[in-house]
Coordinates of all heavy atoms in Angstrom, one line a residue:
M259 N 43.5 16.9 39.8 CA 44.4 16.5 38.7 C 44.1 17.3 37.4 O 42.9 17.5 37.1 CB 44.3 15.0 38.4 CG 45.1 14.6 37.2 SD 44.9 12.8 36.8 CE 45.6 12.1 38.3
D260 N 45.1 17.6 36.7 CA 44.9 18.3 35.4 C 44.1 17.4 34.5 O 44.3 16.2 34.4 CB 46.3 18.5 34.8 CG 46.2 19.1 33.4 OD1 46.1 20.3 33.4 OD2 46.4 18.3 32.4
R261 N 43.1 18.0 33.9 CA 42.1 17.2 33.2 C 42.7 16.5 32.0 O 42.4 15.3 31.7 CB 41.1 18.3 32.6 CG 39.9 17.7 32.1 CD 38.9 18.8 31.7 NE 38.0 18.2 30.7 CZ 37.2 17.3 31.0 NH1 37.0 16.8 32.2 NH2 36.4 16.8 30.0
R262 N 43.6 17.1 31.3 CA 44.3 16.5 30.2 C 45.1 15.2 30.6 O 45.0 14.2 30.0 CB 45.2 17.5 29.5 CG 45.8 17.0 28.2 CD 46.6 18.1 27.5 NE 47.5 18.8 28.5 CZ 48.6 18.3 29.0 NH1 49.1 17.2 28.6 NH2 49.3 19.0 29.9
K263 N 45.8 15.4 31.7 CA 46.5 14.2 32.3 C 45.6 13.1 32.7 O 45.9 11.9 32.4 CB 47.3 14.6 33.5 CG 48.7 15.2 33.2 CD 49.5 15.3 34.4 CE 50.7 16.2 34.2 NZ 51.0 17.0 35.4
G264 N 44.5 13.4 33.3 CA 43.5 12.4 33.6 C 43.0 11.7 32.4 O 42.8 10.5 32.5
I265 N 42.7 12.4 31.4 CA 42.2 11.8 30.2 C 43.2 10.8 29.6 O 42.9 9.7 29.1 CB 41.7 12.8 29.1 CG1 40.4 13.5 29.7 CG2 41.5 12.3 27.7 CD1 40.0 14.8 29.0
E266 N 44.5 11.2 29.6 CA 45.6 10.4 29.1 C 45.7 9.1 29.9 O 46.0 8.0 29.4 CB 46.9 11.1 29.2 CG 47.2 12.0 28.0 CD 48.4 12.9 28.3 OE1 49.2 12.6 29.2 OE2 48.5 14.0 27.6
R267 N 45.5 9.2 31.2 CA 45.8 8.0 32.1 C 44.5 7.1 32.3 O 44.6 6.0 32.7 CB 46.2 8.5 33.5 CG 47.6 9.1 33.5 CD 48.0 9.6 34.8 NE 49.1 10.5 34.7 CZ 49.5 11.2 35.8 NH1 48.9 11.2 36.9 NH2 50.5 12.0 35.6
C268 N 43.4 7.7 31.9 CA 42.1 7.0 32.1 C 42.1 5.6 31.4 O 42.5 5.5 30.3 CB 41.0 7.9 31.6 SG 39.4 7.2 31.6
L269 N 41.5 4.6 32.1 CA 41.5 3.3 31.5 C 40.2 3.0 30.8 O 39.9 1.9 30.3 CB 41.6 2.2 32.6 CG 42.9 2.3 33.5 CD1 42.9 1.2 34.5 CD2 44.2 2.2 32.6
C270 N 39.3 3.9 30.8 CA 37.9 3.7 30.2 C 38.0 3.1 28.8 O 37.2 2.2 28.4 CB 37.1 5.0 30.1 SG 36.6 5.5 31.8
R271 N 38.9 3.5 28.0 CA 38.9 3.0 26.6 C 39.2 1.5 26.5 O 38.9 0.9 25.5 CB 40.0 3.8 25.7 CG 39.6 5.2 25.6 CD 40.6 6.0 24.7 NE 40.3 7.4 24.7 CZ 39.3 7.9 24.0 NH1 38.6 7.2 23.2 NH2 39.1 9.2 24.1
E272 N 39.8 0.9 27.6 CA 40.1 -0.5 27.6 C 38.9 -1.3 28.2 O 39.0 -2.5 28.3 CB 41.3 -0.8 28.4 CG 42.5 0.2 28.2 CD 43.1 0.0 26.8 OE1 43.1 -1.1 26.3 OE2 43.5 1.1 26.3
C273 N 37.9 -0.6 28.7 CA 36.9 -1.2 29.5 C 35.8 -1.9 28.7 O 35.4 -1.3 27.7 CB 36.3 -0.1 30.4 SG 34.9 -0.6 31.4
P274 N 35.3 -3.0 29.2 CA 34.2 -3.7 28.4 C 32.9 -2.9 28.4 O 32.1 -3.1 27.4 CB 34.0 -5.0 29.2 CG 34.7 -4.8 30.5 CD 35.7 -3.8 30.3
T275 N 32.7 -2.0 29.3 CA 31.5 -1.2 29.3 C 31.6 0.0 28.3 O 30.6 0.5 27.8 CB 31.3 -0.6 30.7 OG1 31.0 -1.7 31.6 CG2 30.2 0.4 30.8
F276 N 32.9 0.4 28.0 CA 33.1 1.6 27.2 C 32.5 1.5 25.8 O 32.5 0.5 25.1 CB 34.6 1.8 27.0 CG 34.9 3.1 26.3 CD1 34.7 4.3 26.8 CD2 35.5 3.0 25.0 CE1 35.0 5.5 26.2 CE2 35.8 4.2 24.3 CZ 35.6 5.4 24.9
V277 N 31.8 2.6 25.4 CA 31.3 2.8 24.1 C 31.9 4.1 23.5 O 31.8 5.1 24.2 CB 29.7 2.9 24.1 CG1 29.2 3.2 22.7 CG2 29.1 1.7 24.7
D278 N 32.5 4.0 22.4 CA 33.2 5.2 21.9 C 32.2 6.1 21.1 O 31.9 5.7 19.9 CB 34.4 4.7 21.0 CG 35.3 5.9 20.6 OD1 35.0 7.0 21.0 OD2 36.2 5.7 19.9
C279 N 31.8 7.1 21.7 CA 31.0 8.1 20.9 C 31.8 9.4 20.8 O 31.2 10.5 20.8 CB 29.6 8.2 21.4 SG 29.5 8.7 23.1
K280 N 33.1 9.3 20.8 CA 33.9 10.5 20.6 C 33.8 11.6 21.6 O 33.9 12.8 21.4 CB 33.7 11.1 19.2 CG 33.7 10.2 18.0 CD 35.0 9.6 17.8 CE 34.9 8.5 16.6 NZ 36.0 7.6 16.7
E281 N 33.5 11.2 22.9 CA 33.4 12.1 23.9 C 34.7 12.0 24.8 O 35.4 11.0 24.7 CB 32.2 11.9 24.8 CG 32.1 10.6 25.5 CD 30.8 10.3 26.1 OE1 29.8 11.0 25.9 OE2 30.7 9.2 26.8
E282 N 35.0 13.0 25.6 CA 36.1 12.9 26.5 C 35.9 11.9 27.6 O 34.8 11.8 28.2 CB 36.4 14.3 27.1 CG 37.0 15.2 26.1 CD 37.6 16.5 26.7 OE1 37.1 16.9 27.8 OE2 38.5 17.1 26.1
V283 N 36.9 11.1 27.9 CA 36.8 10.1 29.0 C 37.2 10.8 30.4 O 37.0 12.0 30.5 CB 37.6 8.8 28.7 CG1 37.0 8.1 27.5 CG2 39.1 9.2 28.4
A284 N 37.6 10.0 31.3 CA 37.9 10.5 32.7 C 36.6 11.0 33.2 O 36.5 12.1 33.7 CB 39.0 11.5 32.7
Y285 N 35.6 10.2 33.2 CA 34.2 10.5 33.6 C 34.2 10.9 35.1 O 33.2 11.5 35.6 CB 33.2 9.4 33.3 CG 33.2 9.0 31.9 CD1 33.8 7.9 31.4 CD2 32.5 9.8 31.0 CE1 33.8 7.5 30.1 CE2 32.4 9.5 29.6 CZ 33.1 8.3 29.2 OH 33.0 8.0 27.9
C286 N 35.2 10.4 35.9 CA 35.2 10.7 37.3 C 35.5 12.1 37.7 O 35.1 12.6 38.7 CB 36.2 9.8 38.0 SG 37.9 10.1 37.3
L287 N 36.2 12.8 36.8 CA 36.6 14.2 37.1 C 35.5 15.2 36.9 O 34.6 15.0 36.1 CB 37.8 14.6 36.2 CG 39.0 13.7 36.3 CD1 40.1 14.1 35.3 CD2 39.6 13.8 37.7
G288 N 35.6 16.3 37.7 CA 34.6 17.4 37.6 C 34.5 17.9 36.2 O 35.4 17.8 35.4
N289 N 33.3 18.3 35.8 CA 33.0 18.9 34.5 C 32.9 17.8 33.4 O 32.7 18.1 32.3 CB 34.0 19.9 34.0 CG 34.1 21.1 35.0 OD1 33.1 21.4 35.6 ND2 35.3 21.6 35.2
T290 N 33.1 16.6 33.8 CA 32.9 15.5 32.8 C 31.5 14.9 33.1 O 30.5 15.2 32.4 CB 34.0 14.5 32.8 OG1 35.2 15.1 32.8 CG2 33.9 13.5 31.6
G291 N 31.5 14.0 34.0 CA 30.2 13.4 34.4 C 29.8 12.3 33.4 O 30.6 11.7 32.7
K292 N 28.5 11.9 33.5 CA 28.0 10.8 32.8 C 28.2 10.8 31.3 O 28.2 11.9 30.7 CB 26.5 10.6 33.0 CG 26.2 10.2 34.4 CD 24.6 10.1 34.5 CE 24.2 10.1 36.0 NZ 22.8 10.1 36.1
S293 N 28.5 9.7 30.7 CA 28.5 9.5 29.3 C 27.2 9.7 28.7 O 26.1 9.4 29.3 CB 29.0 8.1 28.9 OG 28.8 7.9 27.6
T294 N 27.1 10.2 27.4 CA 25.9 10.4 26.8 C 25.5 9.1 26.0 O 24.4 9.0 25.5 CB 25.9 11.6 25.8 OG1 27.0 11.4 24.9 CG2 26.1 12.9 26.5
C295 N 26.5 8.2 25.9 CA 26.2 7.0 25.0 C 26.3 5.7 25.8 O 25.9 4.6 25.3 CB 27.0 7.0 23.8 SG 28.8 7.0 24.1
I296 N 27.0 5.6 26.9 CA 27.2 4.4 27.6 C 26.0 4.2 28.5 O 25.7 5.0 29.4 CB 28.5 4.4 28.5 CG1 29.7 4.6 27.6 CG2 28.7 3.1 29.2 CD1 31.0 4.9 28.3
M297 N 25.3 3.1 28.3 CA 24.1 2.8 29.1 C 24.1 1.5 29.9 O 23.5 1.4 30.9 CB 22.9 2.7 28.1 CG 22.7 4.0 27.3 SD 22.2 5.4 28.3 CE 22.8 6.8 27.3
E298 N 24.9 0.5 29.4 CA 24.9 -0.8 30.1 C 26.2 -1.0 30.8 O 27.3 -0.9 30.2 CB 24.7 -1.9 29.0 CG 23.3 -2.2 28.7 CD 23.2 -3.3 27.7 OE1 23.8 -4.4 28.0 OE2 22.5 -3.1 26.7
E299 N 26.1 -1.3 32.1 CA 27.3 -1.5 32.9 C 27.7 -3.0 32.7 O 27.0 -3.9 33.0 CB 26.9 -1.3 34.4 CG 26.6 0.2 34.6 CD 26.2 0.6 36.0 OE1 26.1 -0.4 36.9 OE2 26.2 1.8 36.4
Q300 N 29.0 -3.2 32.2 CA 29.5 -4.5 31.9 C 30.8 -4.7 32.5 O 31.7 -5.3 31.9 CB 29.5 -4.7 30.4 CG 28.1 -4.7 29.8 CD 28.0 -4.9 28.3 OE1 28.9 -4.3 27.6 NE2 27.1 -5.6 27.8
G301 N 31.1 -4.2 33.7 CA 32.4 -4.3 34.3 C 33.0 -2.9 34.3 O 32.8 -2.1 33.4
C302 N 33.9 -2.6 35.3 CA 34.5 -1.3 35.4 C 35.9 -1.4 35.8 O 36.2 -2.1 36.7 CB 33.7 -0.4 36.4 SG 34.3 1.2 36.6
L303 N 36.8 -0.7 35.1 CA 38.2 -0.8 35.4 C 38.7 0.3 36.3 O 39.9 0.4 36.7 CB 39.0 -0.7 34.0 CG 38.8 -1.7 33.0 CD1 39.7 -1.5 31.8 CD2 39.0 -3.1 33.5
C304 N 37.8 1.2 36.7 CA 38.2 2.3 37.6 C 39.0 1.9 38.9 O 39.9 2.6 39.2 CB 37.0 3.1 38.0 SG 36.2 4.0 36.7
P305 N 38.6 0.7 39.5 CA 39.4 0.4 40.7 C 40.9 0.2 40.5 O 41.7 0.3 41.4 CB 38.7 -0.9 41.2 CG 37.3 -0.8 40.7 CD 37.5 -0.1 39.3
G306 N 41.3 -0.1 39.3 CA 42.7 -0.3 39.0 C 43.4 1.0 38.3 O 44.5 0.9 37.9
C307 N 42.7 2.0 38.3 CA 43.1 3.2 37.5 C 44.0 4.1 38.3 O 43.7 4.4 39.5 CB 41.9 4.0 37.0 SG 42.3 5.5 36.2
P308 N 45.1 4.6 37.8 CA 46.0 5.5 38.5 C 45.3 6.8 38.8 O 45.7 7.5 39.8 CB 47.2 5.7 37.5 CG 46.7 5.3 36.2 CD 45.6 4.3 36.4
V309 N 44.4 7.3 38.0 CA 43.7 8.5 38.3 C 42.8 8.4 39.6 O 42.9 9.2 40.5 CB 42.7 8.9 37.1 CG1 42.0 10.2 37.5 CG2 43.6 9.1 35.9
L310 N 42.1 7.3 39.7 CA 41.3 7.0 40.9 C 42.2 7.0 42.2 O 41.9 7.7 43.2 CB 40.6 5.6 40.8 CG 39.6 5.3 41.8 CD1 38.2 5.6 41.3 CD2 39.7 3.8 42.3
E311 N 43.3 6.3 42.1 CA 44.2 6.2 43.2 C 44.8 7.6 43.6 O 44.8 8.0 44.7 CB 45.4 5.3 42.9 CG 46.2 4.9 44.1 CD 47.3 3.9 43.8 OE1 47.3 3.3 42.8 OE2 48.2 3.9 44.6
E312 N 45.2 8.3 42.6 CA 45.8 9.7 42.8 C 44.9 10.7 43.4 O 45.2 11.5 44.2 CB 46.4 10.2 41.5 CG 47.6 11.1 41.8 CD 48.3 11.5 40.5 OE1 48.7 10.6 39.7 OE2 48.4 12.7 40.2
E313 N 43.6 10.6 42.9 CA 42.6 11.5 43.4 C 42.0 11.1 44.7 O 41.2 11.8 45.3 CB 41.5 11.6 42.4 CG 41.9 12.3 41.1 CD 42.2 13.8 41.2 OE1 41.5 14.4 42.0 OE2 43.1 14.3 40.5
G314 N 42.2 9.8 45.1 CA 41.6 9.3 46.3 C 40.1 9.1 46.2 O 39.4 9.1 47.1
F315 N 39.7 8.7 45.0 CA 38.3 8.5 44.7 C 37.9 7.1 45.1 O 38.8 6.2 45.2 CB 38.0 8.6 43.2 CG 38.0 10.1 42.7 CD1 38.0 10.3 41.3 CD2 38.0 11.1 43.6 CE1 38.0 11.6 40.9 CE2 38.1 12.4 43.1 CZ 38.0 12.7 41.7
S316 N 36.6 6.8 45.3 CA 36.3 5.5 45.8 C 35.0 4.9 45.2 O 34.5 3.9 45.7 CB 36.0 5.6 47.4 OG 35.2 6.7 47.6
Y317 N 34.6 5.5 44.1 CA 33.4 4.9 43.4 C 33.8 4.2 42.2 O 35.0 4.1 41.8 CB 32.4 6.0 43.2 CG 31.7 6.5 44.4 CD1 32.2 7.7 45.0 CD2 30.7 5.9 45.0 CE1 31.6 8.2 46.2 CE2 30.1 6.3 46.2 CZ 30.6 7.5 46.8 OH 30.0 8.0 47.9
V318 N 32.8 3.7 41.5 CA 33.0 3.0 40.2 C 31.9 3.5 39.2 O 31.1 4.3 39.6 CB 33.0 1.5 40.3 CG1 34.2 1.0 41.0 CG2 31.7 1.0 40.9
Y319 N 32.0 3.1 38.0 CA 31.0 3.4 37.0 C 30.7 4.9 36.9 O 29.5 5.3 36.9 CB 29.7 2.6 37.3 CG 29.8 1.1 36.9 CD1 29.7 0.2 37.9 CD2 29.9 0.7 35.6 CE1 29.8 -1.2 37.6 CE2 30.0 -0.6 35.3 CZ 30.0 -1.6 36.3 OH 30.1 -2.9 36.0
Y320 N 31.7 5.6 36.8 CA 31.5 7.1 36.6 C 30.8 7.4 35.3 O 30.1 8.4 35.2 CB 32.9 7.8 36.7 CG 33.5 7.6 38.1 CD1 34.5 6.7 38.3 CD2 33.1 8.4 39.1 CE1 35.1 6.5 39.5 CE2 33.7 8.2 40.4 CZ 34.7 7.3 40.6 OH 35.3 7.1 41.8
C321 N 31.0 6.6 34.3 CA 30.4 6.9 33.0 C 28.9 6.8 33.1 O 28.2 7.5 32.3 CB 30.9 5.9 32.0 SG 30.6 4.2 32.3
T322 N 28.3 5.9 33.9 CA 26.9 5.8 34.0 C 26.3 6.4 35.3 O 25.1 6.7 35.3 CB 26.5 4.3 34.0 OG1 27.2 3.6 35.0 CG2 26.7 3.7 32.6
R323 N 27.1 6.7 36.3 CA 26.6 7.2 37.5 C 27.0 8.6 37.9 O 26.6 9.2 38.9 CB 27.0 6.2 38.7 CG 26.5 4.8 38.4 CD 27.0 3.8 39.5 NE 26.7 2.5 39.2 CZ 27.0 1.4 39.9 NH1 27.5 1.6 41.1 NH2 26.7 0.2 39.5
G324 N 27.9 9.1 37.1 CA 28.4 10.5 37.3 C 29.7 10.6 38.0 O 30.3 9.6 38.4
T325 N 30.2 11.9 38.2 CA 31.5 12.1 38.8 C 31.5 11.7 40.2 O 30.5 11.4 40.8 CB 31.8 13.7 38.7 OG1 30.8 14.3 39.6 CG2 31.8 14.2 37.4
E326 N 32.7 11.8 40.8 CA 32.9 11.5 42.2 C 32.0 12.3 43.1 O 31.3 11.9 44.0 CB 34.4 11.7 42.6 CG 34.7 11.4 44.1 CD 34.9 9.9 44.4 OE1 34.8 9.1 43.5 OE2 35.0 9.6 45.6
T327 N 31.9 13.6 42.7 CA 31.1 14.6 43.5 C 29.6 14.2 43.3 O 28.8 14.2 44.3 CB 31.3 16.0 43.0 OG1 32.7 16.2 42.9 CG2 30.7 17.0 43.9
D328 N 29.2 13.9 42.1 CA 27.8 13.5 41.9 C 27.4 12.3 42.7 O 26.3 12.2 43.3 CB 27.6 13.0 40.4 CG 27.6 14.2 39.5 OD1 27.4 15.4 39.9 OD2 27.8 14.0 38.3
Q329 N 28.4 11.3 42.8 CA 28.0 10.1 43.5 C 28.1 10.3 45.1 O 27.4 9.6 45.8 CB 29.0 8.9 43.1 CG 28.8 8.5 41.7 CD 29.4 7.2 41.3 OE1 29.1 6.2 42.0 NE2 30.1 7.1 40.3
L330 N 28.9 11.3 45.5 CA 28.9 11.6 46.9 C 27.6 12.2 47.4 O 27.1 12.0 48.5 CB 30.1 12.6 47.2 CG 31.4 12.1 47.5 CD1 32.4 13.2 47.5 CD2 31.4 11.4 48.9
A331 N 27.0 13.0 46.5 CA 25.8 13.7 46.8 C 24.8 13.6 45.7 O 24.7 14.4 44.8 CB 26.1 15.2 47.0
P332 N 24.2 12.4 45.6 CA 23.2 12.2 44.5 C 22.2 13.3 44.4 O 21.7 13.7 45.4 CB 22.6 10.8 44.8 CG 23.5 10.2 45.9 CD 24.1 11.4 46.6
R333 N 21.9 13.6 43.1 CA 20.9 14.6 42.9 C 19.6 14.0 42.3 O 19.7 13.0 41.7 CB 21.4 15.6 41.8 CG 22.4 16.6 42.4 CD 23.0 17.4 41.3 NE 24.4 17.6 41.5 CZ 25.3 18.0 40.6 NH1 24.9 18.2 39.3 NH2 26.6 18.1 40.8
Ligands
SF4_726 S1 38.8 6.3 37.5 FE1 37.6 5.5 35.8 S2 36.7 7.3 34.8 FE2 38.3 8.0 36.1 S3 40.0 8.2 34.8 FE3 40.2 6.2 35.8 S4 39.2 4.8 34.4 FE4 38.6 6.8 33.8
SF4_727 S1 33.9 4.6 34.1 FE1 34.3 2.5 34.6 S2 32.7 1.4 33.6 FE2 32.7 3.4 32.7 S3 34.1 3.1 30.9 FE3 35.3 3.9 32.6 S4 36.2 2.1 33.5 FE4 34.5 1.4 32.3

Protein backbone atom coordinates (compact mmCIF):
# COMPACT_ATOMS: atom_id res chain seq x y z
CA MET A 1 0.00 0.00 0.00
CA ASP A 2 1.05 3.53 -0.70
CA ARG A 3 2.68 4.83 2.44
CA ARG A 4 0.78 8.11 2.51
CA LYS A 5 -2.56 6.29 2.20
CA GLY A 6 -1.54 3.95 4.99
CA ILE A 7 -0.74 6.85 7.27
CA GLU A 8 -4.11 8.47 6.48
CA ARG A 9 -6.06 5.29 7.27
CA CYS A 10 -3.99 4.20 10.28
CA LEU A 11 -5.92 4.02 13.58
CA CYS A 12 -2.89 4.50 15.83
CA ARG A 13 -3.79 8.08 16.71
CA GLU A 14 -7.04 6.84 18.31
CA CYS A 15 -5.31 4.10 20.24
CA PRO A 16 -4.82 4.06 24.05
CA THR A 17 -1.22 2.99 23.57
CA PHE A 18 -0.40 5.84 21.21
CA VAL A 19 2.01 8.55 22.32
CA ASP A 20 2.34 11.51 19.99
CA CYS A 21 5.96 12.38 19.43
CA LYS A 22 5.39 13.78 15.95
CA GLU A 23 6.55 10.70 14.14
CA GLU A 24 4.83 9.04 11.18
CA VAL A 25 2.30 6.35 12.11
CA ALA A 26 1.40 3.18 10.16
CA TYR A 27 4.11 1.37 12.09
CA CYS A 28 3.17 -1.89 10.36
CA LEU A 29 4.44 -0.76 6.97
CA GLY A 30 7.96 -1.24 5.69
CA ASN A 31 10.43 1.56 6.45
CA THR A 32 8.48 2.64 9.50
CA GLY A 33 8.93 0.13 12.27
CA LYS A 34 8.98 0.70 15.98
CA SER A 35 8.07 3.97 17.55
CA THR A 36 10.83 5.85 19.29
CA CYS A 37 8.52 7.03 22.08
CA ILE A 38 5.81 4.39 22.62
CA MET A 39 7.01 2.00 25.29
CA GLU A 40 3.96 0.67 27.14
CA GLU A 41 1.41 -1.59 25.45
CA GLN A 42 -2.07 -0.54 26.57
CA GLY A 43 -4.32 -2.07 23.92
CA CYS A 44 -3.98 -2.11 20.13
CA LEU A 45 -6.47 -1.09 17.45
CA CYS A 46 -4.62 -2.77 14.60
CA PRO A 47 -7.03 -5.76 14.38
CA GLY A 48 -9.82 -3.36 13.28
CA CYS A 49 -7.70 -1.31 10.91
CA PRO A 50 -8.42 -1.16 7.16
CA VAL A 51 -4.67 -1.10 6.43
CA LEU A 52 -4.15 -4.39 8.28
CA GLU A 53 -7.01 -6.00 6.37
CA GLU A 54 -5.93 -4.68 2.99
CA GLU A 55 -2.32 -5.75 3.47
CA GLY A 56 -3.31 -9.16 4.87
CA PHE A 57 -1.21 -8.51 7.98
CA SER A 58 -1.74 -10.60 11.08
CA TYR A 59 0.22 -9.11 13.97
CA VAL A 60 -0.47 -6.36 16.50
CA TYR A 61 1.56 -3.77 18.41
CA TYR A 62 3.61 -2.71 15.42
CA CYS A 63 4.62 0.43 17.33
CA THR A 64 6.45 -1.56 20.00
CA ARG A 65 7.27 -4.79 18.15
CA GLY A 66 8.16 -3.59 14.66
CA THR A 67 6.78 -3.95 11.13
CA GLU A 68 4.99 -7.02 9.81
CA THR A 69 8.29 -8.18 8.30
CA ASP A 70 10.16 -7.64 11.58
CA GLN A 71 7.59 -9.71 13.45
CA LEU A 72 7.66 -12.48 10.82
CA ALA A 73 11.43 -12.79 11.21
CA PRO A 74 12.50 -11.44 14.60
CA ARG A 75 16.00 -10.10 14.68
S1 LIG B 1 -2.41 -1.89 11.26
FE1 LIG B 1 -1.95 -0.68 13.09
S2 LIG B 1 0.02 0.31 12.65
FE2 LIG B 1 -0.80 -0.44 10.73
S3 LIG B 1 -1.88 1.30 9.88
FE3 LIG B 1 -3.37 0.09 11.03
S4 LIG B 1 -3.47 0.95 13.08
FE4 LIG B 1 -1.61 1.73 12.07
S1 LIG C 1 0.46 -0.15 16.50
FE1 LIG C 1 -1.34 -0.85 17.64
S2 LIG C 1 -0.76 -0.44 19.79
FE2 LIG C 1 0.60 0.76 18.52
S3 LIG C 1 -0.40 2.78 18.41
FE3 LIG C 1 -0.99 1.56 16.59
S4 LIG C 1 -2.94 0.65 17.13
FE4 LIG C 1 -1.95 1.30 19.01
